[in-house]
Amino acid sequence: MAETLIKVDLSKSAYENEKIHNRWHPDIPMAVTVKPGDDFILECYDWTGGQIKNDDSADDVRDVDLTQVHFLSGPVGVEGAEPGDLLEVDILDIGAFSDQQWGFNGFFAKTNGGGFLTDHFPEAQKSIWDFNGMFTKSRHIPNVEFAGMIHPGLIGCLPSKDMLEAWNQREKELYDTDPDRVPGLANLPFADTAHLGKLAGDAAKAAAAEAARTVPPREHGGNCDIKDLSRGSKVYFPVYVKGAGLSVGDLHFSQGDGEITFCGAIEMAGWIHLRVNLIKDGMAKYGIKNPVFKPSTIKPRYEDYVIFEGISVDEDGKQHYLDVHIAYRQACLNAIEYLTKFGYTPAQGYALLGCAPVEGHISGVVDVPNACATLWLPTEIFDFDINPTAAGPTQQVTPGTDVPLSPDKE
């Protein structure tokens, strides 16, 4: 039986746990140490550290303190790991806590983080999802139920000092091009809410001033939000510090490709069972500078989809050059508009695309001036037929439900 090396108490603040951290910095001490070949379990807070509640108000999403996130379990030191190695990580299993069988999805207010479609959904909204074994459904989005493709949204190793400096420099340069932009172009170091595990005193203060926020993915992995890193996956992480320093958190019960609402998966607290091994000098042997992975053989199987196209022409009709971001946004907006024809509100459609196992594809990037992106919506998750027919769409969703909204404070 695998040992649980890091435990969390959801009734207590994550700041009280020395085996938790919410920044990236090479000086964060290892919380635990394992050997190559070991398997072990890590318990995890939800990524906000318990700021979001199971209720029908979105006030907590509106008021969430995003400078605190993400709360990660680790770092896990691996004996013998050296810079230049590859850390091989097998994701053996993941689960929600037995007394925490629910998760949440949210749209952050545009003034507080935003999301992929924040100009269309600028205020805070939230949906709650209840788990029933491997399946989930929501009281806020009726007529759908699907199997979760459970995965860690965030997993990676500690950066080296040089890498941290490079991150901070390039992200500050981007931020400075438009420092007043809402939402911001980057999330710069913020010492006030930093939690660096066992690091304390003057060393902690110095590290907090330069420690990288956990919001984006970077060369070490991090917040990649890849839904296919599920049970049975294998990931190869570049090692940048002695011991590797593997950390994990931001567990998702399910997510669509792109995590388009930003708080865009079904977020949950829970546990993850991992096994680690080393490939010595693996970065040079394979020319790897970013993680690579092998997907699981275990995944929900869907056979039928309605597929929505988008091109790089924005909502105002402006032409962009091979812009995949805009093309995928148009595919998402097209899918949301389609779902409203069956009675869903736009917010329900948006939340569903963030939570359900939709697939996003870059379908074309060579035919100037338009890139083409597609969103694949599985039809089997609905309890009615969403395929186009000659008869046209009919109202299927009972009126009266919606994703709770909390307007911005004056």
Side-chain angles (χ1 to χ4, degrees):
M1 188 72 176
E3 182 180 358
T4 300
L5 299 183
I6 295 179
K7 296 182 179 181
V8 302
D9 183 345
L10 300 183
S11 69
K12 296 181 179 179
S13 169
Y15 286 99
E16 300 178 37
N17 194 323
E18 290 188 340
K19 296 181 179 181
I20 302 295
H21 63 100
N22 66 355
R23 299 291 193 270
W24 294 113
H25 195 283
D27 292 345
I28 299 174
M30 301 301 172
V32 295
T33 300
V34 300
K35 297 178 180 179
D38 285 353
D39 69 292
F40 50 89
I41 294 171
L42 307 178
E43 294 182 350
C44 301
Y45 292 91
D46 82 77
W47 73 296
T48 72
Q51 295 185 62
I52 311 302
K53 307 304 180 186
N54 183 357
D55 59 27
D56 299 320
S57 168
D59 288 359
D60 49 9
V61 172
R62 179 193 62 199
D63 301 332
V64 68
D65 183 356
L66 292 180
T67 69
Q68 295 184 19
V69 301
H70 303 73
F71 288 101
L72 307 179
S73 297
V76 177
V78 181
E79 291 184 10
E82 298 286 346
D85 294 344
L86 287 179
L87 181 66
E88 178 185 298
V89 179
D90 288 293
I91 300 175
L92 301 178
D93 202 1
I94 317 174
F97 292 125
S98 59
D99 59 351
Q100 191 89 357
Q101 291 290 306
W102 64 275
F104 62 90
N105 170 266
F107 315 164
F108 292 131
K110 184 175 182 179
T111 55
N112 188 28
F116 190 55
L117 303 180
T118 193
D119 290 334
H120 298 268
F121 301 90
E123 295 183 303
Q125 296 187 253
K126 179 178 76 177
S127 60
I128 298 296
W129 295 79
D130 294 308
F131 308 151
N132 183 15
M134 63 184 291
F135 294 94
T136 186
K137 57 184 177 180
S138 172
R139 62 183 179 267
H140 297 128
I141 307 172
N143 301 93
V144 292
E145 184 176 26
F146 49 84
M149 196 167 178
I150 195 167
H151 61 279
L154 199 160
I155 183 169
C157 295
L158 292 179
S160 66
K161 183 73 171 177
D162 288 346
M163 176 165 283
L164 176 65
E165 291 175 353
W167 291 352
N168 285 338
Q169 178 179 342
R170 73 193 187 196
E171 290 172 24
K172 180 66 162 58
E173 289 173 352
L174 175 63
Y175 178 87
D176 287 344
T177 64
D178 190 359
D180 297 323
R181 184 181 185 274
V182 177
L185 287 171
N187 294 277
L188 303 180
F190 185 74
D192 291 359
T193 54
H195 179 43
L196 302 176
K198 297 178 181 179
L199 200 63
D202 290 341
K205 291 180 181 179
E210 61 184 12
R213 301 282 293 281
T214 60
V215 177
R218 299 184 179 96
E219 290 89 340
H220 69 142
N223 194 27
C224 295
D225 293 309
I226 301 171
K227 77 177 194 316
D228 298 282
L229 290 184
S230 189
R231 293 169 285 193
S233 297
K234 184 189 295 286
V235 196
Y236 301 89
F237 290 103
V239 173
Y240 296 103
V241 301
K242 184 177 180 179
L246 177 71
S247 296
V248 62
D250 188 26
L251 301 184
H252 297 165
F253 189 86
S254 179
Q255 178 202 299
D257 280 339
E259 200 193 17
I260 61 173
T261 67
F262 182 26
C263 182
I266 301 176
E267 311 283 352
M268 68 176 215
W271 53 269
I272 184 167
H273 185 183
L274 303 173
R275 180 174 59 222
V276 295
N277 276 291
L278 288 174
I279 299 178
K280 300 301 294 181
D281 197 30
M283 290 177 67
K285 287 177 179 176
Y286 290 101
I288 288 176
K289 64 178 182 179
N290 295 79
V292 298
F293 78 96
K294 293 178 66 63
S296 173
T297 57
I298 304 170
K299 60 185 297 186
R301 187 175 182 87
Y302 296 103
E303 301 290 346
D304 187 65
Y305 295 84
V306 175
I307 302 171
F308 300 88
E309 294 187 18
I311 59 173
S312 44
V313 176
D314 66 25
E315 294 92 313
D316 297 322
K318 181 180 178 181
Q319 180 72 64
H320 297 259
Y321 179 75
L322 296 180
D323 191 321
V324 174
H325 178 276
I326 289 174
Y328 194 54
R329 189 170 78 214
Q330 297 310 307
C332 293
L333 290 170
N334 291 339
I336 291 169
E337 176 66 17
Y338 186 91
L339 289 171
T340 65
K341 305 306 180 184
F342 297 94
Y344 287 111
T345 68
Q348 288 174 323
Y350 186 28
L352 184 58
L353 297 186
C355 295
V358 305
E359 295 185 12
H361 295 254
I362 299 173
S363 301
V365 289
V366 295
D367 298 314
V368 298
N370 282 329
C372 178
T374 52
L375 181 144
W376 297 46
L377 179 62
T379 63
E380 295 103 318
I381 70 173
F382 298 90
D383 65 10
F384 60 91
D385 185 6
I386 69 163
N387 289 294
T389 66
T394 59
Q395 178 92 20
Q396 298 288 337
V397 180
T398 303
T401 61
D402 203 354
V403 180
L405 181 148
S406 290
D408 293 345
K409 293 179 178 178
E410 295 296 332

